[in-house]
Amino acid sequence: MAKTTPRILCIGAAVQDVFLEGKIFSAHKNKDSELVQEFDLGTKNEIDNVTISVGGGATNAAVTFARQGLHALYLGRVGDDTAGQIVLDMLHREAVDTSLVKTVTDIGTGYSAILLSPKGERTVLTYRGASQKYDLAEADFHQTRADWLYISSLSGDTSALKTAIEYAKNNDIAIAINPGKGEIEHVKQFRDLLKDFSILSLNREEMQSLFHKESIRDILIEATKYVSTVLLTDGPKGSYACDGTQIFKAGMYEDVEVIDRLGAGDAFTSGFVKVIAEGGSIPEALTFASANSTSVVIKIGAKTGILHESAKLHQMPIEVTRI
């Protein structure tokens, strides 16, 4: 029997990203030994390069799925402006279905200016715009039949999150979520929703705040009481996944020079979900997730380095321990 191609509907932010590179963005230490960046008011400052791109966790994930040959759909809001058209044009080029996108006239498309120093440090100035409230109703799904919902940050729009969950439950759709701080800061409210997720992905600090455990082992054991598969990232120290019976640990896929970390987390989580949606194993999912995020951090922009289906991967060691 021929294998069916998963359909994954991504819900969350879409923003236009503008990367500004220059020596003037180099941080220096102040009298308290904290790194700061300062610009004199009223001055004109030269920069070295400008890169215009598209970001937003859900659009980043959708591009991962599309480049890997999956059916990728995006549901979100953009403004009726130039930035919104840039977002839609990019998604069209990547073969992402945008038929569920809302174009609104009362607010602009999300926008970020990213100031990059020569050493890779960054400062992000963000205008959330149309992505700060979704006004999501079941009718907005237009009875779309997906195998998975991939939910990224919804800027704390709990109503939209609950609407998406309810739609998924009513239509037997699995949910993977990589929430933002706006969702998880309401700890009790968010924990009440965990039972509805198939995959939860957060970094170590976010997991600690949500489950009130310190060690990674304790966090993962506690988290899988609520969610069947948990994904935890710990920066350069590696990543972990847990299915309630085993803990899987992956290190770095490759030791590379990091140019820009923006979008690395999205590439990692969406890479993991891609493999699981296709029926792959957790070690396979961790390997592809690590390779995808590694490819992203060596280039400027959240989508530039996302792997295509033709990419050749190598194996990486995965440590497995039973709970």
Side-chain angles (χ1 to χ4, degrees):
M1 181 181 295
K3 189 166 113 177
T4 59
T5 302
R7 289 171 58 85
I8 305 184
L9 172 56
C10 304
I11 305 175
V15 300
Q16 180 181 4
D17 286 338
V18 177
F19 293 81
L20 307 177
E21 301 172 69
K23 297 180 181 63
I24 64 165
F25 301 131
S26 298
H28 63 274
K29 290 185 177 181
N30 63 12
K31 57 184 176 61
D32 298 317
S33 294
E34 294 178 343
L35 289 176
V36 296
Q37 292 174 325
E38 297 175 319
F39 307 98
D40 293 330
L41 287 175
T43 60
K44 181 181 289 187
N45 299 281
E46 298 288 333
I47 60 175
D48 302 329
N49 193 37
V50 176
T51 302
I52 297 175
S53 181
V54 171
T59 68
N60 295 339
V63 170
T64 288
F65 301 137
R67 288 189 183 178
Q68 289 296 309
L70 279 62
H71 294 300
L73 305 93
Y74 170 65
L75 190 162
R77 302 202 324 165
V78 297
D80 184 15
D81 51 23
T82 301
Q85 193 58 53
I86 288 172
V87 169
L88 293 175
D89 288 346
M90 181 282 302
L91 292 172
H92 293 158
R93 288 195 302 271
E94 295 287 351
V96 174
D97 185 327
T98 61
S99 59
L100 301 179
V101 174
K102 277 187 184 178
T103 299
V104 296
T105 58
D106 59 335
I107 192 168
T109 302
Y111 185 95
S112 289
I114 300 98
L115 317 182
L116 286 176
S117 79
K119 292 184 178 179
E121 299 150 332
R122 73 172 191 251
T123 300
V124 182
L125 310 176
T126 296
Y127 164 68
R128 299 196 183 278
S131 291
Q132 61 190 330
K133 187 167 179 57
Y134 291 82
D135 297 319
L136 190 61
E138 185 169 340
D140 295 318
F141 291 89
H142 295 285
Q143 298 184 330
T144 299
R145 292 292 180 259
D147 300 296
W148 284 79
L149 286 190
Y150 181 100
I151 304 174
S152 70
S153 172
L154 298 175
S155 299
D157 189 340
T158 305
S159 175
L161 177 57
K162 290 180 177 178
T163 299
I165 291 171
E166 194 63 24
Y167 182 80
K169 289 168 63 177
N170 291 340
N171 291 277
D172 196 26
I173 300 171
I175 301 175
I177 186 167
N178 182 20
K181 64 181 181 180
E183 288 80 58
I184 64 173
E185 67 183 2
H186 305 290
V187 174
K188 184 180 183 308
Q189 191 175 22
F190 187 74
R191 283 176 59 160
D192 288 342
L193 302 174
L194 290 175
K195 65 184 183 301
D196 298 315
F197 305 140
S198 297
I199 297 175
L200 170 69
S201 177
L202 290 168
N203 65 36
R204 181 174 184 170
E205 291 74 20
E206 292 166 335
M207 285 284 192
Q208 287 173 330
S209 69
L210 189 58
F211 295 106
H212 308 301
K213 301 290 183 180
E214 286 300 317
S215 75
I216 288 176
R217 178 182 173 83
D218 288 345
I219 291 170
L220 293 172
I221 291 173
E222 182 67 18
T224 50
K225 293 177 182 177
Y226 300 85
V227 184
S228 57
T229 302
V230 176
L231 189 58
L232 182 152
T233 56
D234 195 19
K237 295 180 181 179
S239 58
Y240 301 79
C242 183
D243 62 2
T245 60
Q246 297 180 106
I247 295 174
F248 304 81
K249 181 183 184 302
M252 288 193 302
Y253 181 73
E254 290 176 352
D255 188 6
V256 298
E257 180 183 0
V258 175
I259 303 299
D260 173 30
R261 293 189 185 277
L262 200 66
D266 301 325
F268 187 89
T269 304
S270 60
F272 185 90
V273 172
K274 174 263 178 188
V275 175
I276 297 301
E278 291 183 317
S281 67
I282 287 180
E284 290 170 331
L286 279 174
T287 298
F288 180 74
S290 301
N292 202 34
S293 61
T294 297
S295 183
V296 164
V297 301
I298 62 175
K299 296 177 181 175
I300 291 177
K303 295 178 175 62
T304 310
I306 289 174
L307 294 175
H308 290 267
E309 195 173 8
S310 59
K312 304 298 183 184
L313 305 186
H314 60 71
Q315 297 296 314
M316 64 182 296
I318 306 287
E319 298 177 19
V320 184
T321 57
R322 294 197 66 82
I323 293 178

